[in-house]
């Protein structure tokens, strides 16, 4: 866990000897960044499969008395140090824990979305041995070769022995995912049902419109039949008109859907609207409705 706040980009390690200097330097927008402050252990990233993209991770050489180091997320590296390597850069994040010792960036790790649908978190990760933070809530991540829930009794017993007054709740990552995504999954199912109903209503409407349009040509088709037009030719005329209407409708509908999709993406983080398979399947269902209307009118 941890808080979010502003950090400073330093030019030399002792640039901020006290908080008055911190406040003074924070008035320069070019020297200020914003990120989450996360205190972790060296195995945190491997346990959660967060990739190391540059530099190195935390190790045993990073002790309380050595140079304080930090890893930063890839998104934060791109924003705070555009066009340059973040490795070796100095940060000051003392307003998070009162420790004014500079942090030297030694690595860059992949971005993490800390909640469903959220943007990746800009994070500065520090090592618990160097920046211990007292917290009312500690989270331990355990990676195991066996079913994690089989370890729950032993883990709970061990935590109760270490911290008797703190209840330990052990859950697997799939359980946490299901809890976090439960509401979103319900909304997805509801929206999917509404979308399917809307598609069926569109097909019914298109079917009725095409049949009505074809009915307007009944007299014309009778005259064509009277002067020798064959049934296959008449059916071809009906099909051509139906497909023409469908083509115009699908083209205009696709353009409208594309514009609405882009508008929705600007409001809903992580929304993907470019699923070609879904678009083609919807167009195929609508075309089937048109062909059914043409077939029914052709046989009558």
């Amino acid at each position: 866990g941890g808080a979010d706040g502003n950090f400073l980009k330093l030019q030399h390690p002792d640039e901020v000897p006290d908080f008055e200097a911190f406040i003074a330097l924070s008035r320069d927008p070019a020297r200020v960044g914003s990120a989450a402050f996360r205190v972790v252990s060296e195995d945190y990233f491997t346990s959660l499969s967060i990739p190391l993209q540059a530099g190195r991770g935390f190790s045993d050489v990073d002790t309380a008395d050595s140079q304080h180091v930090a890893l930063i997320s890839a998104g934060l590296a791109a924003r705070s140090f555009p066009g340059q390597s973040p490795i070796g850069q100095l940060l000051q994040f003392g307003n998070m824990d009162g420790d004014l010792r500079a942090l030297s960036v030694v690595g860059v790790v992949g971005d993490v979305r800390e909640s469903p649908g959220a943007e990746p978190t800009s994070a500065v990760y520090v090592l618990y041995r160097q920046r211990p933070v007292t917290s009312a809530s500690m989270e331990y991540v355990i990676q195991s070769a066996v079913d994690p829930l089989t370890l729950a009794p032993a883990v709970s017993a061990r935590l109760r022995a270490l911290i008797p007054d703190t209840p330990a709740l052990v859950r697997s990552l799939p359980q946490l995912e299901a809890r976090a995504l439960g509401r979103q999954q319900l909304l997805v199912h509801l929206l999917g049902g509404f979308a399917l109903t809307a598609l069926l209503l569109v097909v019914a409407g298109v079917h009725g419109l095409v049949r009505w349009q074809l009915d307007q040509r009944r007299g014309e088709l009778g005259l064509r039949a009277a002067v020798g037009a064959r049934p296959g030719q008449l059916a071809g005329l009906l099909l051509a008109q139906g497909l023409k209407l469908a083509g115009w409708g699908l083209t205009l509908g696709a353009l409208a859907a594309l514009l609405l999709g882009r508008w929705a993406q600007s409001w809903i983080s992580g929304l993907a609207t470019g699923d070609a398979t879904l678009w083609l399947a919807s167009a195929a269902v609508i075309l089937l409705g048109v062909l059914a209307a043409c077939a029914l009118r052709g046989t009558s």
Side-chain angles (χ1 to χ4, degrees), residues 27-44:
R27 297 190 181 100
D28 182 359
R31 304 287 294 275
V32 179
S34 179
F37 186 76
R38 300 289 181 257
V39 182
V40 301
S41 70
E42 52 265 53
D43 294 325
Y44 175 78

Side-chain angles (χ1 to χ4, degrees), residues 54-292:
R56 69 171 180 89
F58 296 131
S59 69
D60 292 339
V61 302
D62 301 316
T63 65
D65 298 325
S66 64
Q67 167 68 52
H68 283 207
V69 295
L71 276 70
I72 63 176
S73 60
L76 179 62
R79 284 189 296 274
S80 296
F81 306 103
Q84 56 183 315
S85 173
I87 307 301
Q89 301 286 347
L90 295 173
L91 305 179
Q92 171 54 257
F93 223 154
N95 58 326
M96 290 291 98
D97 60 359
D99 193 330
L100 290 177
R101 281 173 285 187
L103 296 165
S104 177
V105 178
V106 296
V108 178
V109 295
D111 289 325
V112 174
R113 298 180 188 270
E114 294 189 350
S115 61
E119 292 294 330
T121 301
S122 296
V124 173
Y125 299 95
V126 297
L127 187 59
Y128 76 102
R129 286 195 299 271
Q130 294 184 336
R131 309 296 281 261
V133 175
T134 302
S135 173
S137 174
M138 295 295 293
E139 296 176 331
Y140 297 88
V141 181
I142 302 173
Q143 188 183 77
S144 169
V146 300
D147 182 356
L149 291 181
T150 62
L151 303 177
V155 170
S156 298
R158 180 60 176 159
L159 290 176
R160 283 196 299 270
L162 290 171
I163 319 173
D165 297 331
T166 302
L169 179 61
V170 181
R171 288 177 293 188
S172 67
L173 194 57
Q175 289 176 327
L176 293 174
E177 291 174 345
R179 180 179 179 182
L181 297 173
R183 183 177 179 183
Q184 286 79 358
Q185 289 175 340
L186 175 61
L187 291 175
V188 166
H189 291 151
L190 289 174
L191 289 174
F194 291 145
L196 181 59
T197 302
L199 180 60
L200 294 177
L201 290 174
V202 167
V203 171
V206 169
H207 179 88
L209 177 62
V210 171
R211 288 186 64 176
W212 178 80
Q213 288 282 349
L214 298 180
D215 282 341
Q216 305 308 304
R217 301 187 65 180
R218 185 179 293 273
E220 174 197 345
L221 295 176
L223 290 176
R224 288 179 180 272
V227 297
R230 294 189 299 273
Q233 293 175 319
L234 299 178
L237 288 173
L238 294 176
L239 181 61
Q241 182 177 354
L243 292 178
K244 181 179 179 181
L245 289 172
W248 276 108
L250 288 173
T251 300
L252 296 175
L255 290 174
L258 182 62
L259 294 175
L260 287 173
R262 290 184 175 178
W263 173 81
Q265 282 180 311
S266 67
W267 286 92
I268 304 176
S269 174
L271 178 66
T273 61
D275 190 338
T277 302
L278 185 61
W279 283 55
L280 292 174
S282 301
V285 172
I286 293 174
L287 282 175
L288 286 176
V290 173
L291 293 175

